[in-house]
């Protein structure tokens, strides 16, 4: 086991002994830490070296498993903080050695939180070193490490990785204090330990059951393709898509000659039979065969069949036989990767380049989810929040009619909203009757709620539902009258965002999204609010003048585009971001219980999907885990939902059941 130290006086690298590193760890409460590894998969590759240091001292130890017993007490010490850049990677290799880390600070996560929404030059270590320490760091050697091992250049490179992290942390926390983001950084530094563990644990997978599902899907897809082709052949308006079969077909066979997998060809077909296949995107009209067009024209038999066809096509392609390639050869399980913080505060899953699947977008049906299983002798606890985002939104806007729904435990939200939005049509009908007898109005209410919470208006509702603009406006008007405090809330939060230049997700964690165009937006607003602007605008528009086309129109268009982004973001991000913070905190509470009871590598986190946490545990711990997970999730909910409680419902099974 070789140990190296960099001499700070002349910057030379010298050999030293392990005792010096141990003394450094004893004497230092804040330690920079990094690993170099023989690969990227902790299950098939080993640690090459581990580095510790600070601005004045840097050490590199060639890895030996004898280090586990020596280093583990330091990592578990409550009084020490280990600073990483992209901790999720290093933690998984430490978990392989049965080492957990009590206090983590991740400079990458902190930077994402501090710059959420802003344009940035980079969040890699080299970029952060340049930004905060004004030093240049080359990362060119990184990709060659797994080939060359601990050369002098690699040792020097590894020592550099633990030289600047303390400086970065200090300056990040100064900025965090200024922006009131300390709690957001604290929460994500806790949560990264759980997310690394979830990636490391992976989830069991029934390959044979999946292949059976794939075979069934392929047959359904081929049957639907034939059904769609027959509809096209039989439509007299689409004769140009007919042709005679090949020599291998029975004489006189007529076939459909359109490539149904080509959106451009399907768009042309839609236009041929008068389907309204236009959508508005960034103020411009364009042709589309996407979800919005399909929903708008769902009563057309060809559109309906095509919609079912592309759904099956996705099952065959995205969730087909190739999915078995995601099975890790070392564990026999599927291991995904997560991006911990999106702009909304939520997570994402999967990375095609790393051969990692998206386990957050798996179809929510038994055929798919039943294929994700536990090891023999184990159970899976599947716990999700009941209407998490809806409950969080009710706690934010405090609309009296929304609160009444939860207080009176009325059951079906969409029927309740419909009853308020369409009082004359649904007079004296129970919510159950509305659901059974007036699904059309229930669907309108459901679509309106979704559109409005994303900043939509009557036009949006009409476009989404394929109804007239007047009907869409009537639905929107009914919604505003049914939930007046909701719209007061929207006005309040959008005005706050315009004033501050950012959106605050909640008052617990205080996570924020910053608008990087606020200076330009305010300049445009000042320009447009000048006396006489709109008179000039209308006059120049009537003249179709160069001033109108080259100056006034572009400025107004950009102003309203920015205004729309601010409003939609201020409506939606606080709900999604608060939901994500709530789930993260719940997972952290359960993690603390897991470690306290020495259940590390016994109880596993196997997936986290927005409002859902999946745990795998031995049979004899299933009831205990289920009750504890429910307790942790509801305790976390209490922090974010003070008026309407947020509840969680766990289920015990031998597979993924939600």
């Amino acid at each position: 086991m070789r140990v190296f130290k960099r001499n700070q006086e002349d910057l030379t690298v010298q050999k030293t002994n392990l005792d010096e590193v141990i003394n450094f760890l004893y004497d230092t409460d804040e330690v920079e830490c990094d690993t170099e590894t023989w690969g990227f998969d902790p299950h098939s590759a080993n640690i090459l070296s581990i580095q510790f240091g600070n601005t004045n001292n840097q050490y590199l130890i060639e890895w030996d498993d004898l280090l586990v017993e020596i280093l583990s007490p330091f990592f578990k010490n409550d009084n020490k903080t280990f600073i990483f850049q992209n901790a999720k990677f290093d933690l998984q290799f430490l978990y392989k050695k049965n080492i957990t880390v009590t206090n983590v600070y991740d400079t990458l996560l902190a930077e994402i939180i501090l710059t959420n929404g802003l344009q940035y030059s980079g969040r890699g270590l080299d970029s952060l070193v340049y930004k905060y320490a004004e030093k240049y760091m080359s990362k060119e050697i990184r990709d060659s490490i797994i080939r060359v091992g601990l050369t002098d250049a690699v040792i020097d490179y590894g020592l550099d990785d633990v030289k600047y992290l303390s400086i970065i942390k200090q300056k990040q926390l100064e900025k965090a204090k200024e922006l009131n983001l300390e709690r957001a950084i604290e929460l994500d530094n806790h949560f990264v330990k759980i997310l690394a563990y979830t990636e490391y644990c992976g989830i069991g997978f029934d390959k044979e059951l999946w292949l059976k599902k794939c075979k069934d899907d392929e047959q359904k897809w081929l049957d639907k393709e034939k059904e769609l082709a027959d509809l096209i052949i039989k439509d007299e308006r689409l004769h140009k898509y007919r042709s005679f079969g090949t020599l291998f077909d029975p004489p006189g066979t007529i076939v459909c000659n359109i490539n149904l997998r080509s959106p451009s060809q399907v768009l042309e077909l839609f236009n041929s039979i008068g389907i309204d296949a236009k959508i508005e995107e960034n103020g411009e009209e364009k042709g589309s065969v996407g979800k919005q067009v399909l929903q708008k024209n769902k009563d057309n038999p060809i559109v309906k069949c095509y919609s079912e066809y592309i759904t099956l096509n996705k099952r065959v392609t995205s969730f087909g036989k190739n999915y078995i390639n995601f099975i890790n050869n070392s564990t026999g399980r599927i291991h995904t990767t997560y991006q911990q913080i999106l702009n909304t505060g939520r997570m994402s899953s999967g990375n095609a380049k790393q051969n990692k699947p998206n386990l957050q977008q798996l179809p929510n049906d038994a055929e798919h989810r039943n294929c994700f299983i536990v090891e023999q002798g184990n159970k899976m606890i599947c716990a999700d929040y009941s209407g998490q985002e809806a409950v969080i939104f009710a706690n934010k806007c405090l609309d009296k009619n929304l609160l009444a729904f939860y207080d009176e435990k009325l059951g079906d939200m969409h029927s309740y909203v419909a009853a308020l939005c369409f009082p004359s049509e649904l007079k004296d009908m129970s919510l159950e009757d509305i659901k059974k007898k007036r699904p059309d109005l229930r669907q309108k209410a459901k679509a309106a709620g979704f559109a409005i919470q994303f900043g939509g208006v009557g036009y949006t509702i009409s476009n989404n539902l394929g109804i007239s603009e007047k009907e869409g406006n009537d639905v929107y008007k009914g919604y505003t009258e049914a939930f007046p405090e909701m719209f007061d809330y929207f006005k309040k939060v959008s005005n706050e965002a315009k004033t501050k230049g950012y959106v605050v997700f909640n008052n617990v964690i205080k996570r924020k999204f910053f608008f990087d165009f606020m200076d330009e937006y305010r300049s445009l607003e000042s320009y447009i609010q000048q006396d006489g602007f709109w008179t000039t605008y209308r006059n120049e528009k009537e003249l179709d003048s160069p001033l109108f086309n080259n100056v006034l129109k572009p400025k107004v268009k950009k102003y309203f585009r920015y205004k729309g982004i601010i409003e939609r973001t201020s409506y939606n991000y606080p709900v999604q971001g608060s939901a994500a913070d709530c789930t993260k905190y719940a997972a952290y509470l359960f993690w603390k219980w897991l470690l306290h009871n020495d259940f590390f590598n016994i109880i596993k986190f196997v997936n986290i999907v927005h409002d859902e946490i999946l745990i795998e545990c031995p049979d004899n711990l299933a009831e205990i885990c289920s009750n504890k997970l429910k307790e942790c999730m509801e305790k976390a909910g209490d922090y974010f939902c003070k008026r309407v409680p947020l509840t969680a419902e766990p289920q015990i099974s031998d597979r993924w059941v939600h």
Side-chain angles (χ1 to χ4, degrees), residues 230-489:
D230 288 344
L231 284 173
I232 294 168
I233 290 169
K234 290 173 183 176
D235 194 312
E236 291 299 326
R237 296 166 296 177
L238 300 173
H239 56 84
K240 68 176 181 178
Y241 296 111
R242 305 173 188 162
S243 63
F244 288 106
T246 67
L247 292 173
F248 300 100
D249 293 315
T253 299
I254 303 296
V255 297
C256 177
N257 60 18
I258 182 176
N259 180 1
L260 295 170
R261 303 170 204 178
S262 166
S264 60
Q265 290 189 36
V266 174
L267 177 61
E268 184 185 330
L269 181 148
F270 282 4
N271 291 332
S272 299
I273 54 175
I275 296 294
D276 180 8
K278 291 186 174 63
I279 61 170
E280 188 175 307
E281 193 172 275
N282 297 324
E284 296 180 1
E285 219 173 44
K286 58 177 283 190
S288 170
V289 293
K291 186 176 181 180
Q292 194 172 322
V293 166
L294 299 180
Q295 173 65 26
K296 188 165 52 173
N297 298 281
K298 63 181 182 297
D299 294 331
N300 181 287
I302 289 179
V303 173
K304 182 175 181 295
C305 191
Y306 176 72
S307 181
E308 294 166 352
Y309 168 75
I310 60 171
T311 299
L312 286 166
N313 182 61
K314 184 171 184 180
R315 288 171 72 108
V316 169
T317 52
S318 299
F319 306 104
K321 292 177 181 176
N322 59 339
Y323 215 84
I324 64 175
N325 295 328
F326 293 130
I327 300 172
N328 185 291
N329 291 330
S330 299
T331 66
R333 298 166 72 90
I334 288 182
H335 301 263
T336 188
T337 185
Y338 299 90
Q339 185 178 342
Q340 186 164 329
I341 310 171
L342 301 180
N343 285 345
T344 61
R346 296 177 83 178
M347 296 189 303
S348 66
S349 166
N351 186 311
K353 291 182 180 177
Q354 297 177 15
N355 196 39
K356 303 287 187 179
N358 187 340
L359 290 180
Q360 294 182 323
Q361 288 188 344
L362 198 77
N364 186 14
D365 57 51
E367 291 89 350
H368 287 86
R369 299 202 169 187
N370 281 350
C371 297
F372 293 85
I373 59 173
V374 296
E375 296 173 3
Q376 187 173 3
N378 284 357
K379 291 292 184 185
M380 190 178 292
I381 317 299
C382 308
D384 65 345
Y385 282 111
S386 180
Q388 186 190 40
E389 290 193 2
V391 172
I392 285 173
F393 180 65
N395 278 277
K396 286 183 176 295
C397 72
L398 297 175
D399 181 275
K400 65 177 184 299
N401 282 330
L402 273 184
L403 296 178
F405 170 81
Y406 290 104
D407 290 344
E408 297 170 29
K409 298 179 172 57
L410 295 177
D412 182 40
M413 170 66 82
H414 303 309
S415 295
Y416 175 73
V417 173
L420 293 175
C421 290
F422 310 106
S424 58
E425 295 97 320
L426 302 176
K427 186 179 180 181
D428 298 328
M429 288 183 69
S430 69
L431 298 189
E432 188 62 31
D433 282 344
I434 293 171
K435 187 173 183 178
K436 289 178 180 177
K437 298 175 182 179
R438 294 306 305 267
D440 56 328
L441 294 183
R442 183 181 180 276
Q443 179 59 30
K444 284 183 179 180
K446 181 179 179 180
F450 183 79
I452 288 166
Q453 287 190 40
F454 280 85
V457 292
Y459 171 79
T460 320
I461 296 166
S462 69
N463 211 31
N464 289 350
L465 285 173
I467 58 179
S468 70
E469 194 165 340
K470 181 183 181 307
E471 285 181 280
N473 287 331
D474 287 345
V475 175
Y476 183 78
K477 183 173 182 291
Y479 214 99
T480 61
E481 292 171 352
F483 303 103
E485 288 95 349
M486 179 188 299
F487 288 85
D488 291 342
Y489 165 77

Side-chain angles (χ1 to χ4, degrees), residues 73-125:
F74 292 106
F75 280 117
K76 292 180 180 179
N77 189 322
D78 289 339
N79 298 316
K80 292 190 184 298
T81 297
F82 287 85
I83 311 172
F84 295 85
Q85 165 75 6
N86 190 19
K88 185 157 65 73
F89 178 85
D90 303 280
L91 287 173
Q92 292 186 63
F93 280 88
L94 294 175
Y95 291 160
K96 182 181 181 179
K97 306 299 181 183
N98 211 37
I99 294 174
T100 59
V101 187
T102 300
N103 296 314
V104 168
Y105 182 95
D106 189 332
T107 52
L108 171 63
L109 293 177
E111 192 67 14
I112 293 172
I113 291 166
L114 292 170
T115 60
N116 190 28
L118 302 178
Q119 297 292 327
Y120 57 89
S121 57
R123 291 164 175 158
L125 181 57

Side-chain angles (χ1 to χ4, degrees), residues 576-632:
Q576 289 196 47
S578 296
D581 284 341
C582 180
T583 302
K584 288 175 179 179
Y585 187 55
Y588 171 60
L589 292 175
F590 188 81
W591 170 257
K592 285 206 303 181
W593 172 82
L594 180 156
L595 292 184
H596 179 74
N597 289 278
D598 294 324
F599 289 140
F600 182 76
N601 273 336
I602 296 171
I603 296 174
K604 301 173 182 176
F605 278 79
V606 296
N607 198 9
I608 301 174
V609 187
H610 307 311
D611 66 342
E612 183 178 9
I613 298 174
L614 275 63
I615 300 294
E616 182 177 343
C617 67
D619 284 347
N620 64 325
L621 294 176
E623 285 292 340
I624 295 170
C625 277
S626 178
N627 293 334
K628 177 54 68 172
L629 186 55
K630 177 181 173 66
E631 176 191 318
C632 292

Side-chain angles (χ1 to χ4, degrees), residues 37-38 139-149 151 153-154:
T37 64
W38 285 107
K139 304 296 285 184
E140 291 178 4
I141 198 172
R142 175 173 50 193
D143 294 335
S144 66
I145 292 174
I146 60 175
R147 297 192 307 271
V148 301
T151 63
V154 169

Side-chain angles (χ1 to χ4, degrees), residues 20-228:
E20 185 174 352
V21 184
I22 300 305
N23 289 334
F24 170 78
L25 292 174
Y26 269 120
D27 295 340
T28 311
D29 292 335
E30 191 173 89
V31 181
E32 300 180 29
C33 185
D34 185 48
T35 61
E36 304 303 336
T37 64
W38 285 107
F40 302 110
D41 174 23
H43 300 287
S44 59
N46 203 1
I47 300 173
L48 171 62
S49 66
I50 188 163
Q51 296 89 255
F52 300 106
N54 57 25
T55 306
N56 298 319
N57 301 282
Q58 300 99 46
Y59 300 93
L60 180 147
I61 310 170
E62 186 174 25
W63 184 262
D64 188 299
D65 283 347
L66 293 173
L67 289 168
V68 172
E69 189 175 347
I70 298 169
L71 298 179
S72 191
F74 292 106
F75 280 117
K76 292 180 180 179
N77 189 322
D78 289 339
N79 298 316
K80 292 190 184 298
T81 297
F82 287 85
I83 311 172
F84 295 85
Q85 165 75 6
N86 190 19
K88 185 157 65 73
F89 178 85
D90 303 280
L91 287 173
Q92 292 186 63
F93 280 88
L94 294 175
Y95 291 160
K96 182 181 181 179
K97 306 299 181 183
N98 211 37
I99 294 174
T100 59
V101 187
T102 300
N103 296 314
V104 168
Y105 182 95
D106 189 332
T107 52
L108 171 63
L109 293 177
E111 192 67 14
I112 293 172
I113 291 166
L114 292 170
T115 60
N116 190 28
L118 302 178
Q119 297 292 327
Y120 57 89
S121 57
R123 291 164 175 158
L125 181 57
D126 51 344
S127 297
L128 298 187
V129 167
Y130 185 78
K131 177 178 180 179
Y132 291 109
E134 298 181 346
K135 301 290 184 181
Y136 173 74
M137 173 184 282
S138 172
K139 304 296 285 184
E140 291 178 4
I141 198 172
R142 175 173 50 193
D143 294 335
S144 66
I145 292 174
I146 60 175
R147 297 192 307 271
V148 301
L150 280 183
T151 63
D152 290 345
V154 169
I155 292 168
D156 207 48
Y157 169 89
L159 292 168
D160 269 349
D161 284 346
V162 290
K163 183 176 182 180
Y164 302 104
L165 296 179
S166 299
I167 296 172
I168 295 169
K169 174 179 182 269
Q170 177 190 343
K171 294 191 175 180
Q172 283 179 334
L173 289 182
E174 289 171 4
K175 187 69 174 175
K177 186 175 182 180
E178 177 187 325
L179 296 171
N180 204 3
L181 284 169
E182 301 106 306
R183 296 194 76 180
I185 291 174
E186 180 184 2
L187 176 60
D188 274 295
N189 280 331
H190 284 311
F191 184 65
V192 71
K193 296 175 288 189
I194 297 108
L195 207 57
Y197 188 55
T198 308
E199 290 188 12
Y200 176 75
C201 291
I203 188 167
F205 187 66
D206 188 330
K207 177 180 173 181
E208 298 308 316
L209 186 59
W210 184 269
L211 290 175
K212 181 181 180 302
K213 177 208 78 78
C214 293
K215 185 177 179 181
D216 293 343
D217 284 346
E218 287 171 2
Q219 188 57 54
K220 291 174 186 175
W221 177 57
L222 291 172
D223 291 344
K224 188 60 66 174
E225 187 172 53
K226 184 179 185 307
E227 180 185 342
L228 181 55

